[in-house]
Amino acid sequence: MTARGALSRLSQHKQHLLAARIAKYLGLRADDVLIHWACCKVTHDDDDHTVAQDIVEKLSSAPGISYVKVASTAYRIGKPQLATLLLEHEPHAADQVCAINIVVLLD
């Protein structure tokens, strides 16, 4: 099993903190771990503004990380306001516009 595989397996078992620390120790980016954590948070927490604030705070530690997957998860489970809040922080303008267009068209 590769290091990335181990990090993925830890994330699947909701061991995000451990996976992030191992990634840091190995000198790997923890983007996939952070995205998985954020998707879990979107799924299990209710207050959209608090969830968005927590996610933005955590993901801001990884420059250039995309919020699109997290926002699409929020939209898919019926939280379009949260999806919009997250997309406001998307660093890639093209991805942000495409994702917002999809949210607007589907509403």
Side-chain angles (χ1 to χ4, degrees):
M1 177 181 297
T2 66
R4 286 270 167 223
L7 296 176
S8 177
R9 188 74 54 93
L10 286 169
S11 292
Q12 291 170 356
H13 289 284
K14 311 259 187 305
Q15 298 295 315
H16 301 103
L17 180 60
L18 179 60
R21 287 184 177 169
I22 290 172
K24 183 177 180 180
Y25 177 78
L26 294 175
L28 301 172
R29 288 187 56 108
D31 293 4
D32 293 338
V33 174
L34 292 172
I35 295 294
H36 191 275
W37 168 83
C39 289
C40 288
K41 185 137 185 89
V42 162
T43 305
H44 298 296
D45 289 359
D46 290 326
D47 181 29
D48 288 352
H49 290 286
T50 304
V51 170
Q53 185 178 12
D54 291 348
I55 290 171
V56 168
E57 183 179 315
K58 186 73 74 177
L59 296 188
S60 65
S61 68
I65 195 167
S66 178
Y67 289 74
V68 171
K69 184 173 182 182
V70 182
S72 68
T73 299
Y75 186 79
R76 210 175 41 245
I77 64 168
K79 297 183 177 185
Q81 183 180 12
L82 177 57
T84 304
L85 288 170
L86 292 171
L87 286 174
E88 290 174 2
H89 298 281
E90 173 59 42
H92 310 289
D95 292 341
Q96 183 182 36
V97 170
C98 289
I100 288 173
N101 283 335
I102 290 169
V103 168
V104 169
L105 289 174
L106 293 177
D107 269 350

